[in-house]
Amino acid sequence: MKQAAAQGNIQAVHMTGKDRRNTLWKRVRREKWMFILLTPGLLYFLLFKYVPMWGVLLAFKDYQPFLGFIKSEWVGLEHFRVFFANPEFTMLLSNTLLLSLYNLIFFFPAPIILALLLNEVRVAFFKRFVQTLVYVPHFISMVIVASLTYVFLTTEGGVVNEFLFQQTGSKTDFLTSPDWFRPIIIIQTIWKECGWGTIIFLAALAGVDMEQYEAAIMDGANRWKQTWHITLPSIRSTIVILLILRMGNILDNGFEQIYLLLNPLNRHVAEVFDTYVYMVGITQGAFSYSTAVGLFKSIVGVVLVMGTNWLAKRFGESGLY
C-alpha cells in the first residue's frame, strides 16, 4: 500500500500542465450543475466588485470629464498629500473614529445581549413575537428613522421636548446640539439594527450542546454561571469573526444616517469621511480627490481586518483565514 501511495505521489509530481487541465475539465463536467449554480454569484462579484476596482486609478489622476479617464493627467500621490495636509483631516478622522468607537462599545455587544436574553425565553409564542418586533426596524428606511427622530426631538412640538417642558419648563435643542449628535446616532443604530444582528448569534446559540447545561446544573451552577462558562465560550468564535469584519468598516459610519442629521451647527462633530466624500466629490466635482479619500478608507479597513485577524489567531481563535 505504501508503494502504491508513493507511486501515486510520483505521478502527481510528474503530471504535466496538459494533464492538470484535462483533470480540471473532467471535474467541471462531472460537477457541471454545481458550477452552473455558482455562475450568478461569480458574475455578480466579477461585474460589481472586481471590475469597478479599476476605477481606483482615478485617485492617481487629475480627472477631467472632457478628457476622459485615459487622457487625464497622471498626478501620482498628489491628492493624498493634499488630503493629509487639509486642516479638516484631523476633524474628519477624530469624528469618524469616535463614532466607530462608540458603535463598538455600545452597539456591537447589544445583539449579543439581546440574543442571550431571547435564548432564555421558554414560551415559544412570546419569543417569536419579540423576535418579530425587534426585526422590523431593520426594514425601515433611514429616512423614516430620521423623520421619527425629528418628530420626537424637535423643539416645535416634539414629544420629548413637550414632556421636558411640562416637567422642567424648558426645552433642549437635541437636533442642533453637538453634544447630542453622537448619542442620537448610537441610539438610532441600536434601535434599527440590534434585532437583526441577533439572527447570527441565535443560530450560534442553537448549536450549543445541551448536555453541558445539564452537567452544569448537576454541579449547582446558576443561570449566570452557565452563561459565562458555557454559552459565551460556545459562541466566542462567532463573536470574534464578526468583530474582525466590523473592524474592516471602522471608517465607514454610513452616509445616509449621518447626512440626514448633519447641519451647520453640529458639523464640527458630525462631518465624517462618508459625508465629506459626497460633499467634495458630488457637489464640487472633485472626483479624483474624493476617490483618493475613499481609497484611503479602504486601505485602512484592509489593514485593520488583517491586524485583527492576526491578533485573533495569536489568542488561539480561528480567525477569517
Side-chain angles (χ1 to χ4, degrees):
M1 183 177 291
K2 292 182 178 179
Q3 291 179 351
Q7 186 176 0
N9 291 334
I10 294 173
Q11 290 177 354
V13 170
H14 292 287
M15 184 180 293
T16 63
K18 183 178 180 180
D19 294 333
R20 291 192 183 95
R21 286 192 295 271
N22 291 335
T23 303
L24 177 61
W25 282 113
K26 287 179 180 177
R27 182 178 179 184
V28 170
R29 287 194 297 269
R30 186 173 65 250
E31 302 177 5
K32 60 181 179 180
W33 294 112
M34 183 63 69
F35 284 97
I36 291 173
L37 183 65
L38 287 173
T39 301
L42 293 175
L43 288 176
Y44 167 78
F45 280 100
L46 179 65
L47 295 176
F48 297 102
K49 300 296 182 181
Y50 288 98
V51 173
M53 289 177 67
W54 177 260
V56 300
L57 292 177
L58 207 66
F60 306 98
K61 286 176 169 284
D62 183 16
Y63 177 70
Q64 302 295 331
F66 60 88
L67 291 176
F69 181 81
I70 302 298
K71 294 183 180 181
S72 294
E73 181 185 359
W74 184 273
V75 296
L77 299 176
E78 179 62 24
H79 296 304
F80 293 94
R81 284 193 288 267
V82 172
F83 176 54
F84 294 142
N86 192 327
E88 292 189 330
F89 173 75
T90 304
M91 178 194 72
L92 294 170
L93 184 63
S94 61
N95 290 344
T96 304
L97 289 179
L98 276 174
L99 273 178
S100 297
L101 179 63
Y102 291 155
N103 272 318
L104 282 176
I105 294 174
F106 297 106
F107 170 65
F108 184 77
I112 303 173
I113 296 171
L114 182 58
L116 292 174
L117 293 175
L118 288 173
N119 192 55
E120 295 297 320
V121 177
R122 294 294 176 260
V123 181
F125 172 77
F126 180 72
K127 181 177 181 179
R128 289 195 297 269
F129 173 76
V130 174
Q131 283 180 283
T132 303
L133 200 64
V134 297
Y135 291 166
V136 169
H138 172 77
F139 300 98
I140 299 176
S141 169
M142 188 54 70
V143 177
I144 304 299
V145 175
S147 300
L148 291 173
T149 304
Y150 179 83
V151 169
F152 275 94
L153 300 180
T154 181
T155 55
E156 303 298 328
V159 176
V160 175
N161 266 310
E162 289 299 322
F163 176 77
L164 289 176
F165 183 75
Q166 292 178 3
Q167 299 298 319
T168 64
S170 62
K171 296 183 179 182
T172 302
D173 199 350
F174 295 102
L175 298 177
T176 58
S177 172
D179 296 332
W180 279 100
F181 175 79
R182 293 185 183 115
I184 291 173
I185 291 293
I186 301 303
I187 292 171
Q188 280 185 345
T189 304
I190 293 175
W191 179 77
K192 189 175 187 299
E193 301 297 341
C194 181
W196 187 255
T198 61
I199 293 176
I200 296 177
F201 295 110
L202 286 173
L205 289 170
V208 180
D209 188 3
M210 298 303 296
E211 292 183 357
Q212 297 185 44
Y213 292 111
E214 295 173 1
I217 293 172
M218 294 295 293
D219 292 335
N222 56 28
R223 297 303 301 175
W224 167 250
K225 289 184 178 180
Q226 292 174 40
T227 301
W228 184 257
H229 295 288
I230 299 175
T231 307
L232 287 177
S234 299
I235 64 172
R236 184 174 57 191
S237 59
T238 303
I239 296 174
V240 169
I241 289 175
L242 291 177
L243 177 61
I244 294 172
L245 294 175
R246 183 72 184 176
M247 293 301 294
N249 296 322
I250 200 74
L251 296 184
D252 187 4
N253 299 118
F255 163 75
E256 190 177 17
Q257 182 183 16
I258 306 295
Y259 183 73
L260 291 170
L261 292 179
L262 180 65
N263 57 65
L265 296 177
N266 63 17
R267 181 181 177 275
H268 65 281
V269 299
E271 189 83 271
V272 294
F273 287 121
D274 296 314
T275 55
Y276 181 72
V277 167
Y278 170 77
M279 294 294 183
V280 174
I282 303 300
T283 63
Q284 300 179 19
F287 301 111
S288 295
Y289 181 73
S290 59
T291 303
V293 179
L295 182 58
F296 166 74
K297 284 179 49 185
S298 300
I299 293 173
V300 172
V302 170
V303 171
L304 287 174
V305 166
M306 296 178 67
T308 310
N309 188 76
W310 179 80
L311 283 175
K313 286 190 171 183
R314 291 279 295 180
F315 285 98
E317 299 296 330
S318 57
L320 288 176
Y321 56 88

